[in-house]
Amino acid sequence: MRDAQVIVVGGGPAGSSAAYFLASQGLDVMVVDRARFPRDKICAEYLSPECSRILDRMGALDATEATGAAHLAGMRVRAPNGAIIHGEFAAAHGFNGFRDRGLAVRRTLLDSILLNRARTAGAHFSEATRVTEMLMDQGRVTGIGVLQQGKQRTLSADIVIGADGLRSVVARRLGLHRASRWPRRIALVSHYTNVEGVGAFGEMFVDESGYFGLVDVGNGVTNVALVVPVSRAAEVAADRTEFFDQWIAERPHLAERFVNSVRMEPVRATGPFASFSKKAWRPGAALVGDAADFFDPFTGEGIYAALRGGELLAEVIGEAIRSGKPEMLDGALKSYASKRRSEFKGKWRVERLVGSVVASPRIFNRIALTLQNRRDMADLLVGVAGNFVPAGEILRPRYMMNFLLAATFQR
C-alpha cells in the first residue's frame, strides 16, 4: 500500500506551491524536508510582482504582507562607470502585473507561511527527514528511502516531485542534474540593520569583479548579497566575513552606506550556480524550482520560477494522478515538460543575455549609459524581470533597434 499519491521532496516555495495546488485537488500529498521549520535559507528574498498572483491563489498574500514585508517599486542597477539603470514596475509601456509592486520578505517567514498553506489544503509534512535513495521498479520511480530520527524507512507514491533546490538529491539520484560551465558564480549573503539609503527599490551594483545587491526585506532589515566568480572560492573559504567586509570597504559608494550598519548574523555562502536538468521528468518523478534549473541570481527569478513551476505542474498532472494509470501520468509529465519550456524559455534567453552582459564590464557600461537615458526601455526591461512583461518584448527586433539608435545618439 502506498504512503501517499504524491511525495514532494522540499518544503520551500516550489514544494509548497506544488503541494498546495495538488492537495487542493483532493490528492493525498506528503511533503518531506531535511530541515526543521521555521528555517532560514540563503536567498535574495525578492518576489516579483507576479509572485503576488500565486500567493493570492494560495491564500498566502495577506499573511505575507502582515509580516511587514517590504514593497518594491522597481529596480536600480549601477554600472561600473557609475551610470544608473532605473526601472519601475508601474510604467507607461502598457503592461500591468497582478500588482504594480514587488515584495521582499525573509525566507524564515515566507517558507513557513507557504508550508502552512499547503498543510491547510490537506498536505502532510514530515520535517527532519533526509532523502537517501530513490525507489525504482522497472525504470519507474515508486518512492523514496529516508532517514528519520536515526531510522531508515521507505515511502511509496505514484509520483515523487523534486523541489529540493540547487543541489537536488532527487535530480542527482535520477541522473537528471547537469552543471553548466558558464557562468560559474557563488554568492555570499547576510542581513543588516541601519544600512543607509535603502528605499523602495531593489539595488544592484555591478563592477569588474562581480555584483552586489541590497533589498529591504521589511522590519528595518536589509538583505545584502555579493556574487563573485567561482574562481575566488578559495579566498571566500579562507574567511568569508573578511572577504565580504573588504569588498564593501574597498568601494566608497557602498562603504558610506554601511558606516552605522550592524550585521545580524554570520555571512553565509551558496553556489556554484548555473545548474540545470537535461529533462524535468522521468517516469514517476518531476522536478520544479531550482531543482530543475537555476542560472544566476541577478534577475531575481528564483522564487517566481519556484511558485509558478509548482502551480504549472499541478495544473498538468492532477487528473493523471487521480486516474491511477501510470501511462496517463507519463503523458502528463511529458506535457508538463513542454509547457514548462514554453512558459520559461523567453526568460531563460533573457537571463543568459543578462549574464553575458554582466560578465563584460565594457559592454555593460555602454548599455547602462543608454538605458540611463531611456527610461521607457529600462521600465520594459524591469517589467520582464518582474514577470509581467513578456520576455519577447525586449528580444524583438524593434527593442534592439531602439537600443542601437539610442546608443548611437548618446555618444
Side-chain angles (χ1 to χ4, degrees):
M1 181 177 178
R2 68 192 173 202
D3 294 282
Q5 289 174 288
V6 182
I7 292 176
V8 180
V9 181
S16 292
S17 173
Y20 173 85
F21 288 112
L22 288 168
S24 295
Q25 297 178 43
L27 294 167
D28 181 16
V29 180
M30 176 187 296
V31 181
V32 302
D33 197 294
R34 65 184 303 166
R36 292 188 181 278
F37 282 64
R39 62 101 168 90
D40 208 352
K41 186 77 172 177
I42 302 175
C43 178
E45 299 177 323
Y46 157 76
L47 288 77
S48 69
E50 279 302 284
C51 285
S52 290
R53 178 191 63 78
I54 305 174
L55 294 181
D56 188 60
R57 278 200 70 196
M58 294 178 67
L61 183 56
D62 288 345
T64 301
E65 294 206 305
T67 66
H71 289 187
L72 302 178
M75 298 295 297
R76 289 172 59 86
V77 183
R78 184 185 190 274
N81 61 1
I84 302 294
I85 303 171
H86 177 103
E88 300 188 15
F89 297 130
H93 44 51
F95 295 94
N96 298 299
F98 181 83
R99 285 183 157 189
D100 60 5
R101 59 187 182 276
L103 296 173
V105 61
R106 293 291 301 269
R107 285 288 298 272
T108 47
L109 303 171
L110 177 67
D111 288 12
S112 293
I113 290 169
L114 296 177
L115 189 56
N116 284 338
R117 292 305 303 157
R119 295 170 76 176
T120 299
H124 308 285
F125 178 53
S126 179
E127 61 185 347
T129 301
R130 183 167 66 87
V131 175
T132 58
E133 63 177 321
M134 304 300 295
L135 305 182
M136 309 288 295
D137 182 16
Q138 299 181 350
R140 183 174 200 84
V141 177
T142 59
I144 57 176
V146 299
L147 185 64
Q148 190 178 54
Q149 296 180 339
K151 296 180 180 180
Q152 191 75 36
R153 61 178 297 206
T154 60
L155 300 170
S156 61
D158 293 327
I159 182 170
V160 174
I161 297 173
D164 48 339
L166 187 63
R167 287 170 289 279
S168 169
V169 173
V170 175
R172 291 173 188 272
R173 292 300 175 92
L174 294 179
L176 298 177
H177 175 267
R178 292 290 182 272
S180 175
R181 294 183 179 181
W182 179 91
R184 301 292 281 167
R185 294 174 178 142
I186 55 177
L188 303 174
V189 180
S190 191
H191 293 90
Y192 286 72
T193 58
N194 300 326
V195 178
E196 294 293 331
V198 177
F201 290 83
E203 299 179 77
M204 301 294 286
F205 303 82
V206 180
D207 67 25
E208 291 80 0
S209 304
Y211 59 87
F212 189 88
L214 299 173
V215 65
D216 175 13
V217 292
N219 304 302
V221 177
T222 300
N223 178 296
V224 182
L226 168 62
V227 178
V228 296
V230 74
S231 59
R232 306 196 68 175
E235 298 172 69
V236 171
D239 190 327
R240 66 183 62 157
T241 299
E242 181 179 350
F243 186 92
F244 202 77
D245 290 344
Q246 185 175 348
W247 180 282
I248 295 171
E250 289 175 349
R251 292 157 177 80
H253 60 280
L254 295 176
E256 63 186 11
R257 298 180 63 175
F258 283 81
V259 171
N260 298 311
S261 68
V262 177
R263 188 172 57 247
M264 300 173 62
E265 70 218 354
V267 175
R268 296 173 296 162
T270 188
F273 304 119
S275 68
F276 63 98
S277 55
K278 62 179 182 179
K279 58 188 293 188
W281 72 282
R282 278 191 61 177
L287 302 176
V288 291
D290 292 355
D293 72 89
F294 188 91
F295 180 69
D296 189 77
F298 191 90
T299 56
E301 186 70 10
I303 294 179
Y304 174 76
L307 292 171
R308 176 57 184 147
E311 180 187 41
L312 178 63
L313 177 63
E315 290 171 354
V316 176
I317 68 171
E319 182 179 349
I321 296 171
R322 286 193 298 273
S323 77
K325 299 177 180 179
E327 65 277 11
M328 186 172 176
L329 178 55
D330 290 348
L333 288 171
K334 185 176 181 180
S335 178
Y336 160 66
S338 177
K339 290 178 182 294
R340 178 176 171 272
R341 282 193 299 272
S342 296
E343 179 87 16
F344 293 116
K345 65 182 179 181
K347 282 302 294 289
W348 291 340
R349 290 178 63 190
V350 171
E351 286 178 331
R352 282 149 182 77
L353 181 61
V354 170
S356 298
V357 169
V358 169
S360 176
R362 182 180 62 83
I363 295 174
F364 192 80
N365 281 337
R366 173 62 64 182
I367 288 174
L369 284 170
T370 301
L371 293 179
Q372 180 176 251
N373 296 320
R374 284 293 303 268
R375 270 287 306 279
D376 59 327
M377 297 180 70
D379 287 340
L380 201 65
L381 178 60
V382 167
V384 170
N387 299 298
F388 63 91
V389 174
E393 290 298 313
I394 64 170
L395 295 172
R396 67 175 64 223
R398 184 175 64 182
Y399 185 89
M400 296 300 179
M401 183 61 68
N402 285 339
F403 182 85
L404 291 173
L405 288 172
T408 298
F409 286 113
Q410 61 105 30
R411 288 179 179 175

